[in-house]
Amino acid sequence: MLAERRHQLILRALRSGGPASVTDLSSELGVSAATVRRDLIRLEEDGLLTRVHGGAVAEDGDQPFAEVAEVRVTDKDAVAERAASMVEDGQTVLLDIGTTAYRLARQLHGRRLTVITSNLVVYEELAEDTGIELVLPGGVVRREYRSLVGFLTEDSLRQLHADWLFLGTSGVRPGGHVMDTTVVEVPVKRAMMAAAEKTVLLADAGKFPGRGMAKVCGPQDIDTVVTNASADQATCAVLAEAGVEVIKV
């Protein structure tokens, strides 16, 4: 059986039946356990599943915000603090969806800034801070991930300009491509990039290797990456070679 066909069958099994063991997949496909393990590694690299002890689960691509917010908090805070230091009072900042952007918003209290965001958790964090002018584009509410999406959001962003965009990501591929697990968020991210003078990618070490089915942009489209010291060295080297400033904290 060709590898591509095996990959299709593995993903179909995981999506229809939930988590599966290597043994079960091996039996179902009629191939060795070693072959299944190699397939799972490849599919995980492509962001289509997550390997767990003895097997794998499908990548659902849309975890609720509250669940993601509890993961790698220390790493995210380090990235957020360094990113916040790049912003000067009086500037306009675009904050993307995601938990790291939310951690960054917490660093902005007491500043004199304009913040544009489609991230409803960022709005809630900064709503009572009278020194910050808040701008929310319109759009459809994604309740589970607390964000605004759709053509209204994209059209609003086309009317705006910002000094900085702090962009979130589901992961960074080995070639430096920025990925997202949810297709509907990609046009909003691209509209944000078009509205900003500088794009800074917020990617803690857990975002390497990249996951996600949808490509947001290539390394040539971002100016700076802020990540942790433990981030994948090879991917960071690829980014640097493409002219991206890589800041490790």
Side-chain angles (χ1 to χ4, degrees):
M1 186 186 301
L2 294 175
E4 183 177 355
R5 179 60 177 162
R6 289 199 311 272
H7 294 174
Q8 291 173 350
L9 293 174
I10 288 170
L11 292 172
R12 183 181 301 170
L14 296 177
R15 288 166 180 164
S16 62
S21 69
V22 169
T23 301
D24 289 343
L25 291 170
S26 173
S27 176
E28 183 173 339
L29 297 176
V31 298
S32 70
T35 296
V36 170
R37 290 190 186 94
R38 287 194 296 270
D39 289 340
L40 296 182
I41 291 171
R42 175 60 184 274
L43 289 166
E44 185 176 52
E45 288 173 349
D46 288 342
L48 298 172
L49 57 75
T50 299
R51 287 185 297 150
V52 296
H53 182 69
V57 295
E59 181 66 50
D60 62 14
D62 201 19
Q63 291 176 276
F65 186 97
E67 292 181 10
V68 184
E70 300 302 317
V71 177
R72 301 188 302 274
V73 173
T74 301
D75 283 354
K76 292 175 182 178
D77 276 339
V79 168
E81 184 176 358
R82 179 63 179 86
S85 72
M86 301 169 71
V87 180
E88 299 179 2
D89 281 358
Q91 291 188 320
T92 298
V93 177
L94 258 166
L95 291 183
D96 190 15
I97 66 161
T99 56
T100 309
Y102 161 62
R103 309 302 297 189
L104 171 54
R106 297 182 66 183
Q107 301 282 339
L108 299 179
H109 283 294
R111 305 285 300 275
R112 185 175 56 83
L113 300 167
T114 297
V115 173
I116 305 166
T117 188
S118 61
N119 188 329
L120 296 178
V121 182
V122 167
Y123 162 75
E124 292 166 2
E125 176 67 29
L126 299 177
E128 301 301 319
D129 193 323
T130 57
I132 295 177
E133 183 175 6
L134 276 172
V135 179
L136 269 68
V140 178
V141 176
R142 283 183 67 214
R143 288 181 174 84
E144 283 297 298
Y145 210 69
R146 314 291 298 280
S147 66
L148 297 168
V149 297
F151 75 93
L152 292 173
T153 315
E154 297 158 38
D155 284 350
S156 295
L157 289 167
R158 280 191 275 269
Q159 311 304 316
L160 300 171
H161 178 270
D163 298 291
W164 298 96
L165 163 62
F166 292 98
L167 183 70
T169 181
S170 299
V172 185
R173 297 293 297 275
H177 297 296
V178 179
M179 309 300 291
D180 201 273
T181 55
T182 308
V183 172
V184 72
E185 295 285 359
V186 173
V188 177
K189 290 176 181 287
R190 290 175 177 169
M192 287 183 171
M193 294 174 69
E197 287 288 334
K198 298 284 186 180
T199 296
V200 179
L201 182 66
L202 306 177
D204 66 78
K207 299 299 177 69
F208 301 82
R211 295 182 179 178
M213 62 177 291
K215 176 183 170 183
V216 177
C217 66
Q220 71 278 2
D221 300 309
I222 56 179
D223 298 287
T224 303
V225 173
V226 183
T227 188
N228 304 112
S230 58
D232 182 68
Q233 298 290 334
T235 306
C236 288
V238 168
L239 290 166
E241 289 171 7
V244 180
E245 179 186 17
V246 179
I247 298 175
K248 292 188 175 185
V249 294

